[in-house]
């Protein structure tokens, strides 16, 4: 992840909403739900990023840390996916909220045995949240345009480097 912390009016509104939502959360599930609910009506568009950031990287999905709360309680990252780019199957070190700003993100959910248990095509404006356990997934840009999503994690990614806890490999995932 590249650290490109930039203050913009849209980002300031997002971070204020996240702070307010987290004050009401009792646990990680509650944090994910509260932050997702707070972001839905104010989710910014892709113009939150510079034109250069929106290009992505031909070598794989790329992330830009846009904000990290000074106390380490959350960070806001934009992830750019060119057509055909995918993540490995993974889970997370903390709760996460994802809002799609542009394009379509195809998400596959897995159980602890890596059996596929769900599939969704997340459209622009859609916001979802989840927390470990039960957060094993893979994201693929199956569309023809670049997809961009805003990710809020319950930690400072500039300190820990990645939101992924583990990566998985399994034949079950292909079924």
């Amino acid at each position: 992840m590249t650290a490109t912390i930039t203050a913009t009016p849209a980002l300031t509104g997002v971070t204020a909403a996240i702070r307010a939502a987290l004050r009401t959360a009792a646990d990680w599930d509650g944090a994910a739900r509260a932050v997702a609910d707070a972001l839905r009506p104010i989710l910014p568009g892709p113009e939150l990023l510079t034109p250069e950031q929106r290009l992505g990287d031909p070598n794989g999905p790329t992330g830009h840390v846009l904000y990290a709360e000074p106390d380490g309680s959350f960070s806001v990252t934009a992830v750019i996916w060119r057509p055909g780019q995918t993540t490995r199957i993974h889970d997370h070190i903390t709760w996460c909220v994802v809002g799609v700003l542009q394009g379509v993100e195809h998400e596959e959910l897995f159980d602890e045995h890596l059996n596929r248990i769900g599939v969704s095509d997340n459209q622009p404006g859609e916001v979802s949240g989840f927390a470990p356990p039960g957060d094993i997934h893979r994201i693929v840009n199956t569309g023809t345009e670049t997809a961009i999503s805003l990710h809020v994690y319950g930690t400072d990614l500039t300190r820990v480097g990645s939101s992924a806890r583990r990566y998985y490999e399994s034949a079950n995932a292909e079924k």
Side-chain angles (χ1 to χ4, degrees):
M1 298 268 165
T2 59
T4 51
I5 300 173
T6 317
T8 64
L11 188 57
T12 300
V14 164
T15 57
I18 294 166
R19 269 186 225 101
L22 290 176
R23 284 194 288 272
T24 68
D27 58 19
W28 279 6
D29 285 326
R33 278 192 306 275
V35 170
D37 289 346
L39 287 185
R40 253 180 224 104
I42 63 164
L43 190 66
E47 66 281 352
L48 182 69
L49 303 173
T50 67
E52 295 79 22
Q53 290 171 324
R54 291 191 298 260
L55 291 176
D57 183 338
N59 297 314
T62 187
H64 303 284
V65 178
L66 302 177
Y67 179 82
E69 186 76 340
D71 68 2
S73 59
F74 72 91
S75 56
V76 179
T77 301
V79 181
I80 295 84
W81 319 76
R82 288 185 173 190
Q85 292 182 336
T86 185
T87 65
R88 293 166 51 197
I89 299 170
H90 63 283
D91 62 6
H92 299 86
I93 59 174
T94 186
W95 60 267
C96 177
V97 171
V98 177
V100 179
L101 308 182
Q102 173 182 301
V104 178
E105 291 185 2
H106 177 81
E107 183 178 26
E108 299 170 298
L109 304 171
F110 301 92
D111 67 14
E112 66 276 6
H113 304 291
L114 299 186
N115 296 305
R116 191 171 11 209
I117 57 172
V119 175
S120 62
D121 287 313
N122 302 310
Q123 307 289 327
E126 291 185 18
V127 179
S128 60
F130 54 82
D135 63 321
I136 302 171
H137 72 155
R138 165 174 50 200
I139 298 175
V140 182
N141 180 352
T142 56
T144 59
E145 72 172 309
T146 298
I148 300 173
S149 52
L150 196 67
H151 297 233
V152 181
Y153 296 104
T155 190
D156 179 350
L157 288 188
T158 66
R159 295 180 191 175
V160 300
S162 174
S163 66
R165 182 171 63 140
R166 292 178 293 210
Y167 292 99
Y168 301 87
E169 302 296 331
S170 172
N172 290 347
E174 303 309 318
K175 294 181 180 175

